[in-house]
Amino acid sequence: MQIALAGIGKIAIDQHVPALSASEDWELAATVSRSGTVDGVDAFDSLDAMLEACPEIRVVSLCLPPVPRFEYAAKALAAGRHVMLEKPPGATLSECAELERMARARGLSIYATWHSREAQQVAAAKAWLADKTLKSLHITWREDVRRWHPGQDWIFEPGGLGVFDPGINALSILTEILPDAIHLREAVLSFPDNRQAPIAATLGFRHPGNAAVSCDFDFRQEGEQTWEIEAICAEGTLRLTHGGAQMFVDGAPAGEALTGLAGEYPRLYAKMAQLVRNGRIDMDLSPMRHVADAFLLGRRETVAPFHF
């Protein structure tokens, strides 16, 4: 199937383009960007121009920041194209619900992707936890915004999510591996004095079995980056490290260990191909609901200004 990729930035070049190039399901037939291009692929500087010129392209994958994404997705759906959304799927829950309504009304597929759910050991962790008695679960997700989003001021603007841009990855794993639904009980959000989105956050959740479930997110980590989940159960302890790529049970490695985002985006595109072929929709918004709850419920504190 032919696909167009809109938003040719770092994540598109690093992950989307290689995944599409290696896929037997997809042909990258066009790009949409004001600045970025991919060698050998037709490039357009507007979505409208691409949609008009390329009626044969059935699918549009959107890698834009979340705030402008709704307008692009709505145009693609109105033009009869299936849509794949980079995480988070939109700037608000309401616009995501509207996109799903539009897709259903037109018989189109739409996919809210959560790439961290496709990390190497997430499925194994979900299977291990399925019959365990959870006592506590803690997420430590600390990374350096200067390394991963150099100069990208939009991430600290309204709708940019701040530290929840990576934190939502952790929440996507959490909502995938836990057999029970949880909801936010308390939060503290740390806003730099000169920014509109938090640079750090701590979250506490209510678990139906009274397990202590908590998160520690921070965008100021220097040196080694930390993306870990530890679940202590009556039957043993599970640790996911490297963003879900490596798993340990009672301290012993379990399964094949990978690093980085290996395999995540190829699996996302394989699933999108299945959704399109089967006429299905996947718009799970549970990670985004937890973020929205944190902004609603969280106590705000002001911290030192942040500059790239």
Side-chain angles (χ1 to χ4, degrees):
M1 289 178 285
Q2 291 190 331
I3 190 170
L5 192 60
I8 309 302
K10 179 175 173 55
I11 192 67
I13 296 299
D14 291 351
Q15 300 298 332
H16 289 260
V17 173
L20 288 167
S21 298
S23 173
E24 296 181 357
D25 295 312
W26 298 105
E27 174 195 349
L28 179 56
T31 62
V32 178
S33 176
R34 293 190 182 95
S35 56
T37 60
V38 175
D39 289 345
V41 179
D42 289 342
F44 297 85
D45 60 9
S46 78
L47 182 65
D48 290 335
M50 189 280 294
L51 293 172
E52 182 177 356
C54 304
E56 72 281 2
I57 296 178
R58 301 173 55 199
V59 183
V60 178
S61 179
L62 298 178
C63 306
L64 307 153
V67 170
R69 199 174 298 154
F70 174 81
E71 297 300 333
Y72 279 72
K75 285 183 178 181
L77 291 169
R81 317 302 169 93
H82 308 285
V83 171
M84 181 171 172
L85 302 164
E86 177 60 88
K87 65 86 188 173
T92 71
L93 289 167
S94 294
E95 67 182 37
C96 292
E98 174 62 10
L99 291 176
E100 181 176 356
R101 186 200 66 76
M102 292 177 64
R104 292 191 183 279
R106 291 163 174 78
L108 297 168
S109 294
I110 187 167
Y111 181 20
T113 68
W114 302 103
H115 69 81
S116 290
R117 286 183 173 176
E118 303 300 333
Q120 180 71 11
Q121 295 299 334
V122 169
K126 180 178 181 177
W128 190 87
L129 286 168
D131 61 352
K132 303 300 188 295
T133 303
L134 186 67
K135 298 298 185 182
S136 67
L137 184 147
H138 184 68
I139 294 174
T140 305
W141 221 257
R142 292 171 162 254
E143 64 180 63
D144 184 353
V145 65
R146 292 185 176 93
R147 180 189 302 189
W148 303 105
H149 298 278
Q152 295 179 25
D153 286 299
W154 65 264
I155 208 164
F156 286 111
E157 291 299 320
L161 295 188
V163 76
F164 287 106
D165 179 81
I168 206 169
N169 294 334
L171 294 171
S172 74
I173 296 176
L174 179 65
T175 51
E176 178 69 11
I177 65 176
L178 278 187
D180 300 304
I182 58 172
H183 66 261
L184 191 74
R185 184 173 58 193
E186 58 187 4
V188 177
L189 310 183
S190 301
F191 283 73
D193 184 59
N194 61 334
R195 299 290 180 172
Q196 297 293 312
I199 199 166
T202 58
L203 311 179
F205 294 88
R206 183 191 179 280
H207 181 268
N210 294 319
V213 178
S214 57
C215 302
D216 171 18
F217 301 151
D218 204 312
F219 241 166
R220 300 165 295 190
Q221 180 88 338
E222 297 180 358
E224 184 177 357
Q225 310 290 277
T226 306
W227 303 291
E228 294 189 358
I229 300 175
E230 182 180 65
I232 299 174
C233 302
E235 300 84 356
T237 298
L238 169 79
R239 283 183 65 234
L240 281 176
T241 67
H242 296 82
Q246 300 182 20
M247 173 173 159
F248 301 83
V249 175
D250 294 331
E256 181 182 6
L258 296 177
T259 57
L261 302 180
E264 295 183 10
Y265 281 83
R267 284 190 278 271
L268 291 178
Y269 276 103
K271 184 169 183 179
M272 183 62 185
Q274 292 177 350
L275 291 173
V276 171
R277 291 188 178 112
N278 297 326
R280 302 290 299 275
I281 285 173
D282 185 341
M283 279 292 281
D284 176 26
L285 301 179
S286 53
M288 196 170 171
R289 283 200 301 272
H290 290 315
V291 174
D293 286 351
F295 278 96
L296 282 168
L297 187 62
R299 178 172 60 84
R300 300 188 175 207
E301 62 178 18
T302 302
V303 296
F306 174 82
H307 302 278
F308 282 103

